[in-house]
Amino acid sequence: MNFMPANYQTLADELATLADSAESAEHLMTMIVERLQELLKHYNWVGFYILDEGVDGAEPTLVLGPYIGAETPHKRIALNQGICGAAVSSAQTVVVDDVNSDPRYLACSLETKSEIVAPVFVNGKVVGELDIDSHQPAAFTEDDRLLVEHCASLVGQYLETTS
Ligand code: SME
């Protein structure tokens, strides 16, 4: 976290403190999406997806969790679809500077120009992700990646210590 600018560091610290007082993982995710969307004007859609592993032979699927922004038609996403599926399948953060030139992209809003998705890990295993869309092209810098990964890891740590 040492490499983030001061305002990002302050927000990262505030969210870490909120994580200590969260009543549930859902509550923590809700607080994170609210603060990110409120404070960072280029974060136009902010939301978590939770990985449903699938039972009785059903395919694993990402299920929409707490979010703020335009209603999305993508409430369930298969792991072979979208930027969201790619982040989970690769277990890596995916940054797309121009969503319209990425064939994986599933559109939520016509205004979206760029996107970042960071996986949430619990004991090294992906259990969900934090997805952020921006109306600005190439909106997400290295600082944004650090902040978004920090937020995703707060949820992962919370789940590790409470489950
Ligand atoms: N754009 C994502 C889908 C989620 S919505 O944008 C909220 C994707 O390509 O996976």
Side-chain angles (χ1 to χ4, degrees):
M1 293 294 99
N2 293 332
F3 301 101
M4 288 194 289
N7 60 333
Y8 275 36
Q9 187 64 59
T10 303
L11 177 55
D13 293 345
E14 180 201 328
L15 293 170
T17 303
L18 285 177
D20 289 337
S21 64
E23 290 158 12
S24 63
E26 174 107 7
H27 181 218
L28 176 58
M29 290 189 279
T30 301
M31 291 193 291
I32 289 172
V33 300
E34 284 175 356
R35 288 303 277 159
L36 290 178
Q37 207 264 352
E38 182 181 13
L39 292 180
L40 299 170
K41 295 306 167 201
H42 56 303
Y43 287 27
N44 298 106
W45 191 99
V46 184
F48 282 89
Y49 282 88
I50 317 301
L51 182 60
D52 176 350
E53 290 282 3
V55 287
D56 297 333
E59 290 296 317
T61 310
L62 289 161
V63 180
L64 184 62
Y67 76 98
I68 294 187
E71 182 163 357
T72 175
H74 306 296
K75 297 194 169 56
R76 298 180 68 87
I77 300 175
L79 300 197
N80 61 355
Q81 291 181 346
I83 313 293
C84 286
V88 167
S89 301
S90 65
Q92 287 186 346
T93 300
V94 177
V95 179
V96 177
D97 287 342
D98 174 11
V99 292
N100 292 311
S101 67
D102 191 318
R104 299 171 298 181
Y105 176 64
L106 297 171
C108 167
S109 158
L110 288 177
E111 290 182 289
T112 297
K113 300 290 190 296
S114 58
E115 178 162 4
I116 182 170
V117 186
V120 173
F121 296 95
V122 170
N123 298 320
K125 196 168 154 295
V126 180
V127 300
E129 63 187 21
L130 175 54
D131 176 20
I132 301 174
D133 293 352
S134 180
H135 296 172
Q136 296 175 26
F140 302 109
T141 65
E142 184 64 13
D143 294 323
D144 291 290
R145 190 176 66 76
L146 289 171
L147 178 64
V148 174
E149 288 178 350
H150 170 72
C151 293
S153 78
L154 288 176
V155 175
Q157 286 164 29
Y158 187 93
L159 289 166
E160 272 180 28
T161 53
T162 55
S163 57

